[in-house]
Amino acid sequence: MTAKVVVLTGGVGGAKLVLGLAGVMAPADITAIVNTGDDFRHLGLHISPDIDTLLYTLSDKANKAQGWGREGESWAFLDALRSLGGEDWFLLGDGDMALHVLRSHRLAQGDRLSAITADFAKAWGIGLTVLPMSDDPVATCLDTDVGMLEFQRYFVERRCVPAVSRIRFEGSEAAVPAPGVLDAIGEAEAILIAPSNPYLSVDPVLAVPGMREALRDARAPVIAVSPIIGGKAVKGPTAKLMAELGITPDNDAIAAHYAGLLDGLVIDEGDAAPGNGIPVARTDTLMTTITDRRRVAQAALDLARAIGRR
Ligand code: FO1
């Protein structure tokens, strides 16, 4: 039997790790469990940014420079929308719109987000399983110095400028893991936490009731890839958020954040290991090229294998 691997992931950074994994093992053995706390309704459409980033990245359609959206996108819809005075702070490309329209249409007909996502992945020949964390609505909301903001209003419209004091995942108490999520965790030989923003992208996944228990009960080791490189969070918004929440950006903070769940941590070769003695693997964790992504994915798998079953 081949080893099955689960990855808990947000959008851009997580998609890089998942793509790297698909380069070093059989894609059919990979399940990505994706944050949907960033999902929102916009212009009457259901947008699932992190799922779409995974779909575009894994089908080689992603705008690589940007990290989100499609390569070679056209903008006729947005131009027409603007001419009518419609809201244009969230950039929706013409090709991208097809996903949002079809997803919204199918959700309105009663289809589940997980089934729709599986159909999109199949249509684009994606060989691994992409699961939303839940089919139920969970919305990441931030208490800030300008009031409560939904995630995309904070992240895209306000460019992460407001100072954040608290993060909430509305609806999470009533959410259940999407079909296949708990089984994938139970059957996995390795469970990876992508170097996505721990507070905004991974915490919503962990907030779904049953997820933490499933990770604690899993036979597979849980390995996080640290988002810290050179004593800084790789992505600006993560660094800013950590400062606002009074958290020092180092691997101690990452290990403490995932305390009780983690069996190992992949850290950048230039950074100090956490002081709690958790097993670490060191590599250059900056994932610019496909070679980088495969190297980081392999380091996480090797650490999981070295730790072995719990
Ligand atoms: N991110 C931006 O910074 N600006 C945008 O206008 C924007 C549009 C957008 C449209 C569709 C989509 O799937 C993602 C989009 N993103 C945009 C990215 C996205 O909102 C964030 O990167 C994630 O939510 C964070 O993981």
Side-chain angles (χ1 to χ4, degrees):
M1 199 184 84
T2 51
K4 294 192 183 302
V5 174
V6 161
V7 193
L8 310 187
T9 177
V12 182
K16 290 180 181 177
L17 180 72
V18 176
L19 187 67
L21 262 183
V24 297
M25 61 177 285
D29 290 328
I30 304 169
T31 299
I33 300 175
V34 187
N35 169 39
T36 56
D38 295 13
D39 289 22
F40 75 129
R41 283 199 82 75
H42 184 57
L43 305 171
L45 301 172
H46 181 108
I47 318 271
S48 294
D50 287 357
I51 287 179
D52 293 351
T53 295
L54 263 279
L55 295 176
Y56 290 143
T57 302
L58 296 169
S59 62
D60 202 20
K61 292 178 177 57
N63 180 324
K64 293 189 183 72
Q66 199 166 245
W68 53 270
R70 298 176 68 129
E71 192 64 60
E73 187 61 283
S74 60
W75 302 94
F77 166 79
L78 198 73
D79 289 344
L81 184 80
R82 251 183 216 131
S83 76
L84 293 165
E87 283 191 55
D88 64 353
W89 59 272
F90 196 76
L91 303 178
L92 292 171
D94 297 337
D96 192 32
M97 278 296 284
L99 262 78
H100 311 314
V101 169
L102 189 55
R103 174 189 295 121
S104 307
H105 174 64
R106 288 190 53 183
L107 285 170
Q109 287 183 321
D111 285 351
R112 288 168 164 268
L113 183 61
S114 51
I116 300 165
T117 304
D119 288 347
F120 288 179
K122 190 170 169 215
W124 283 350
I126 295 171
L128 56 86
T129 304
V130 180
L131 295 176
M133 65 193 199
S134 175
D135 282 330
D136 303 314
V138 176
T140 299
C141 296
L142 302 101
D143 291 337
T144 76
D145 57 355
V146 296
M148 196 283 280
L149 294 172
E150 284 191 353
F151 179 82
Q152 298 297 340
R153 293 274 174 190
Y154 161 77
F155 194 88
V156 174
E157 189 181 31
R158 305 242 184 180
R159 306 268 159 221
C160 305
V161 171
V164 176
S165 52
R166 190 169 158 231
I167 303 164
R168 290 177 285 127
F169 308 112
E170 290 205 346
S172 62
E173 326 75 49
V176 295
V181 163
L182 297 181
D183 286 345
I185 292 173
E187 289 163 13
E189 299 287 331
I191 299 167
L192 310 184
I193 301 180
S196 303
N197 186 314
Y199 316 93
L200 293 175
S201 301
V202 181
D203 275 3
V205 181
L206 300 176
V208 176
M211 287 296 297
R212 284 181 176 272
E213 294 74 7
L215 294 174
R216 278 193 210 108
D217 294 348
R219 61 185 181 175
V222 178
I223 309 293
V225 177
S226 175
I228 303 293
I229 298 185
K232 284 198 288 224
V234 185
K235 287 180 73 190
T238 311
K240 179 176 177 284
L241 189 71
M242 289 178 88
E244 286 161 4
L245 298 175
I247 303 165
T248 309
D250 57 22
N251 286 317
D252 280 311
I254 302 302
H257 187 72
Y258 295 130
L261 294 179
L262 222 52
D263 299 294
L265 188 63
V266 177
I267 64 172
D268 190 64
E269 53 200 6
D271 284 324
N276 67 354
I278 192 169
V280 298
R282 290 172 190 277
T283 188
D284 174 359
T285 55
L286 190 63
M287 292 188 282
T288 312
T289 65
I290 185 66
T291 311
D292 296 333
R293 294 166 193 190
R294 290 181 183 159
R295 181 189 61 250
V296 175
Q298 190 63 59
L301 291 180
D302 290 347
L303 181 58
R305 215 159 282 138
I307 292 169
R309 283 188 181 203
R310 286 156 152 182

